[in-house]
Amino acid sequence: MATTVRRDVLTLPAAAVGPENPLPALRPLDEMHVVDDRDRAGLPRDMARQIGHEPLATVLPVAVLDGYGRERTATDLDVIVIENDRLRATVLPGFGGRIHSLFHKPTGRDLVYTNPVLQPADFALNGAWFSGGIEWNIGATGHTTLSCAPVHAARVTAPDGGEMVRLWEWERLRDLPFQVDLWLPDGSDFLHVGVRIRNPHEHPAPVYWWSNIAVPEGERTRVVAPADRAWHFGYERTLNLVPVPESGSVDRTYPLRSDFPADYFYEVPDGARRWIASLDENGHGLVQTSTDLLRGRKLFLWGSGPGGRRWQEWLTEPGTVGYAEIQAGLARTQLEHVPLEPGAEFSWLESYGPLSADPAAVHGDDWPAARAETEQRLAAALPRADVDAAYEAWRRCADTEPGEVLATGSGWGALEVRRAGYKLPGTPFAESTLGEQQAPWLELLEQGTFPEPPGATPPGPSLVSPHWRDMLETAAAEPLTEYHLGIAQWHADDRAQAVRSWERGLALAPSRWPLLRCLAVAAQESRQRERAADHYAEAFDDLCAQRGDDGDTWAAATAALGREAIEALLTAGRPGPARTVWDGLLPAIRSRGRFRLLEARLLIAEGDRAAARALFDEGFEVADLREGAEILDEVWAELTDEPLPDRYNYRMRPRS
């Protein structure tokens, strides 16, 4: 059969992502992949420089997604299917353009780990993320904020005259447009993926990219890459160069032989072909290779310890096969950001397909022989020169204008194109995609004023780039304008000016709680616990006086502000006012697992440890437990010296 592209529907048990958190993300990133300055001093100079190159302080202007739960229902998901007589790739355009499955017809095997459920968890930079398939991580260290967001998709003429699928969006953390072209040549066993990131600005931009492939794990599954050293990063937050395959007398290329989750960033020698493969006990599996610009290769493993296994069950389904991740990125490690000059672009081609190698060589004690066998089989299946030729052929099509629209992403790219008149051939951001969230910013752009809302409602999203901040500074100083201006100033690290803007807005604001909450965060960041607690208590009272009794936005605002207020009041040693906020929460909010944990902390502060222990004994699930978080261990330790029950054990590092 010739290559075809079609729309379809995939039905999965899925938990709804939920509404955006309406509180702006003012707090520092809770990102695990951080190396302190002392450790960075001992790293290679280029690596240290790129680790220190413009790391993000917050995820502004992107909203946090933390409104999901654990209740899954059969859900119809729009998918795009790319298929020839050898491969079938199923793509989720509503979830970052992730490849959900990559099925090899001759062998009847799915080459990637295909998650049987769609369960959000707190792994993305902005919260909601799910596991499985092949995801495209752009923006900053961590899983992309587009993990659970729609992207644009359309048909495009492929280099061989057939059809390919183009995915594109405007990445908002760095304000960069990017595209991912999925090309499956007729009769090919390999899916080609052409990626382009463009910098349309007049200043350099820091760029981050890692393609993340979930692969089935097994007792005899081995990850092979062309390296004999790797940078090990564990949840102790240290980066060390270790030998491959054995480190600490354990062969770490077998994901299940480690106890705790860890990253291994392979040192692929200059000039060597870029590839990584995951092969099972019979030597069968998936290989990923690319043109040379995509230099980094990585293995992430969950390990065989109780915390890693618990996370696997949490992200997938108990009783299903686990997974590891093999990845490919622009830098040697995921802690780095690479500068992209004004008007320039990064582009490369990746290829994904099946690989079969001699299992005796792959699983033997001779690591160089395992590497050589895998690389020889890759060379026979897909020569390096063929990948380079496919890249050159794809580059000639990268500017081709899309045809039939298959899916629609956000309107933020259209707003930026409207503002600056960018010319971005191949990735049109149509004005028809401008929507309700962009409307007030479009009025600011064209009229010079930021419109006040028609009634009491949580404020919409903020924009923080310098050009939008300049427009806010020259607009009339209305309360909502001062609110958004303060957020932009906060993002620019002008904290004192941000506080002044919020205080000016507060003087005339009919709705005070959004500004009070911003001032509360500012007080927290300045270690003014009492002042932060005062602002939070007043903010929650004001929200309760204004909120409607229904609607997802008000419920999300109440939950988010209530949680922050209780935590701030407990930090300030005020369990009484914290209980008052608790009583003001809606019953449906109080029943959530995150709030059951918060109630246990409140009960401990009130001196009722028995009631707090009863909550643990009854059982709850914190749907938005953060990757690497140890809050369950910490609260349990306040109650008892007993071991933490397995159901609450998500520990990702050894106990110190």
Side-chain angles (χ1 to χ4, degrees), residues 261-306:
D263 298 325
Y264 291 90
F265 300 103
Y266 295 110
E267 273 281 0
V268 180
D270 291 341
R273 185 175 185 182
R274 271 61 170 143
W275 58 269
I276 190 168
S278 174
L279 303 174
D280 65 16
E281 67 274 12
N282 298 312
H284 303 312
L286 173 135
V287 65
Q288 186 271 1
T289 187
S290 72
T291 49
D292 289 351
L293 183 67
L294 202 67
R295 66 174 297 187
R297 292 299 184 275
K298 171 195 166 183
L299 162 65
F300 168 77
L301 52 85
W302 286 105
S304 59

Side-chain angles (χ1 to χ4, degrees), residues 469 473 482 485-490 493-504 519:
R469 186 173 73 243
E473 286 175 345
E482 297 286 5
L485 174 58
I487 294 169
Q489 291 164 334
W490 183 268
D493 204 29
D494 191 351
R495 302 296 175 86
Q497 190 58 56
V499 168
R500 284 192 286 271
S501 295
W502 292 327
E503 288 175 342
R504 283 197 304 268
L519 290 169

